[in-house]
């Protein structure tokens, strides 16, 4: 990362200098051709990657240089031949410098995306709603499943989905729903997680019949919440109870399947 940060300003300055020298010494048509080559190789880079982009760059600029040089050295005076040689050399250097600059930028962007994805996967608490992230919920589900299996107790997954909004649910609503759910469960015993507009509540030692009582308690809290219009919000919420098993992989796949259907 440090090496890239050092090279980037130097490469950017080199690209500017080469572009300036080319623009003031050669025609607009030739300059436009090289700009087109840069644009094409950039599109190839984004769609198919660096290797294909590099092959496209080398193929196009060398093919163009060969044709121009062949025509110049067969039927032109030596002064024009040197002009074409200079133009091709400077043009190729300009295109290559811009291509390297774009590659560095593209790599930096991809690296940032990877780090952001990694950071999100490592986060334990959803910053909006205050409940667990889906990855942390799955991790905690592993230990709960072992406990349930040892005790021979049932467990139920409640799926609460907020619908009826065009686009994403407002963060204010997600925050209040998260608070309500955390107040409706047994702290340190049951779990609440979120993925998108859906909340997942894992209830230990609870069958689906008793889980329905929890759902009714949640509905009452939503209706009496002062900071949101609970009655209208309930019309946009659906509840679903799903029995959990004593096998972690089964429970994990069930939770992942439910989150994929969001």
């Amino acid at each position: 990362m440090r090496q890239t940060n050092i090279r980037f300003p130097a490469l950017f300055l080199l690209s500017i200098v080469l572009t300036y020298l080319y623009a003031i010494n050669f025609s607009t048509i030739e300059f436009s051709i090289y700009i087109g080559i840069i644009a094409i190789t950039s599109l190839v880079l984004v769609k198919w990657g660096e290797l294909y982009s590099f092959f496209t760059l080398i193929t196009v600029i060398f093919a163009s240089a060969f044709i121009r040089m062949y025509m110049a050295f067969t039927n032109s005076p030596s002064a024009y031949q040197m002009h074409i040689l200079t133009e091709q050399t400077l043009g190729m250097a300009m295109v290559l410098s811009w291509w390297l600059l774009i590659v560095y930028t593209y790599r930096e962007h991809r690296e940032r995306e990877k780090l952001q994805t990694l950071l999100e996967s490592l986060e334990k608490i959803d910053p909006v709603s205050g409940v667990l992230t889906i990855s942390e919920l799955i991790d905690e589900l592993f230990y709960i499943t072992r406990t349930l299996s040892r005790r021979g107790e049932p467990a139920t997954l409640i799926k609460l989905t907020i619908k009826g909004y065009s686009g994403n649910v407002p963060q204010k609503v997600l925050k209040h729903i998260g608070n309500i759910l955390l107040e409706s469960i047994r702290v340190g015993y049951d779990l609440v997680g979120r993925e998108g507009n859906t909340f997942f509540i894992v209830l230990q030692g609870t069958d689906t019949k008793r889980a329905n009582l929890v759902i009714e308690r949640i509905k009452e809290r939503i209706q009496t919440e002062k900071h949101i219009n609970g009655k209208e919000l309930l019309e946009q919420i659906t509840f679903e109870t799903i029995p959990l098993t004593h096998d972690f992989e089964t429970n994990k796949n069930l939770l992942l399947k439910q989150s994929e259907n969001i």
Side-chain angles (χ1 to χ4, degrees):
M1 184 68 68
R2 184 179 180 182
Q3 189 177 16
T4 300
N5 291 336
I6 294 174
R7 288 180 178 179
F8 188 88
L11 187 58
F12 179 74
L13 181 61
L14 176 63
S15 301
I16 294 296
V17 171
L18 291 174
T19 303
Y20 174 76
L21 292 175
Y22 191 95
I24 63 174
N25 288 289
F26 300 102
S27 69
T28 305
I29 296 177
E30 294 165 339
F31 183 74
S32 300
I33 292 174
Y34 283 117
I35 294 298
I37 294 174
I38 295 172
I40 292 172
T41 53
S42 298
L43 292 175
V44 174
L45 172 67
V46 173
K47 191 168 182 62
W48 289 292
E50 295 180 20
L51 185 60
Y52 284 101
S53 178
F54 179 72
F55 282 149
T56 302
L57 174 71
I58 294 300
T59 301
V60 173
I61 62 175
F62 274 100
S64 175
F66 176 80
I67 294 172
R68 294 288 303 280
M69 295 297 294
Y70 177 80
M71 294 176 62
F73 277 80
T74 52
N75 299 305
S76 304
S78 58
Y80 182 71
Q81 293 173 1
M82 291 303 299
H83 173 82
I84 293 297
L85 179 61
T86 304
E87 184 268 332
Q88 290 296 310
T89 302
L90 186 58
M92 291 172 65
M94 177 186 69
V95 171
L96 184 59
S97 65
W98 278 111
W99 181 82
L100 289 173
L101 188 65
I102 293 170
V103 167
Y104 276 128
T105 305
Y106 179 72
R107 287 179 180 178
E108 183 74 12
H109 175 69
R110 291 293 299 273
E111 188 66 23
R112 287 178 181 272
E113 286 186 336
K114 291 180 180 179
L115 291 175
Q116 182 65 30
T117 302
L118 178 61
L119 179 61
E120 291 176 355
S121 66
L122 293 176
E123 286 182 343
K124 294 185 176 183
I125 303 298
D126 173 44
V128 176
S129 61
V131 302
L132 299 176
T133 60
I134 193 68
S135 58
E136 182 64 17
L137 180 62
I138 292 174
D139 290 342
E140 292 293 333
L141 187 60
F142 172 76
Y143 299 103
I144 285 182
T145 303
R146 291 177 58 183
T147 302
L148 294 172
S149 177
R150 185 171 61 252
R151 295 176 179 175
E153 296 178 348
T156 301
L157 175 69
I158 297 177
K159 180 181 178 182
L160 184 159
T161 304
I162 307 173
K163 300 180 179 180
Y165 286 91
S166 56
N168 295 325
V169 175
Q171 292 190 359
K172 176 184 177 182
V173 174
L174 294 173
K175 178 181 179 180
H176 288 299
I177 291 296
N179 290 336
I180 290 172
L181 295 182
L182 290 174
E183 292 172 355
S184 302
I185 65 169
R186 295 163 292 184
V187 179
Y189 193 70
D190 300 323
L191 301 174
V192 182
R194 170 183 167 244
E195 177 72 8
N197 298 344
T198 299
F199 289 85
F200 297 99
I201 305 102
V202 177
L203 302 175
Q204 294 191 63
T206 306
D207 56 20
T208 54
K209 183 177 180 180
R210 293 175 61 188
N212 287 326
L213 298 177
V214 177
I215 291 176
E216 292 302 319
R217 185 161 66 244
I218 293 172
K219 288 181 178 180
E220 291 177 4
R221 288 181 180 272
I222 293 176
Q223 283 184 330
T224 56
E225 175 61 43
K226 299 179 180 179
H227 303 286
I228 55 177
N229 191 328
K231 292 183 178 180
E232 289 187 5
L233 182 58
L234 275 177
E235 295 177 357
Q236 302 171 9
I237 293 178
T238 60
F239 291 90
E240 182 180 356
T241 56
I242 306 166
L244 295 176
T245 71
H246 292 163
D247 180 70
F248 169 68
E249 289 299 327
T250 302
N251 292 339
K252 175 184 175 182
N253 292 333
L254 174 65
L255 187 57
L256 289 174
K257 182 179 180 181
Q258 293 298 324
S259 63
E260 289 173 357
N261 293 334
I262 296 173

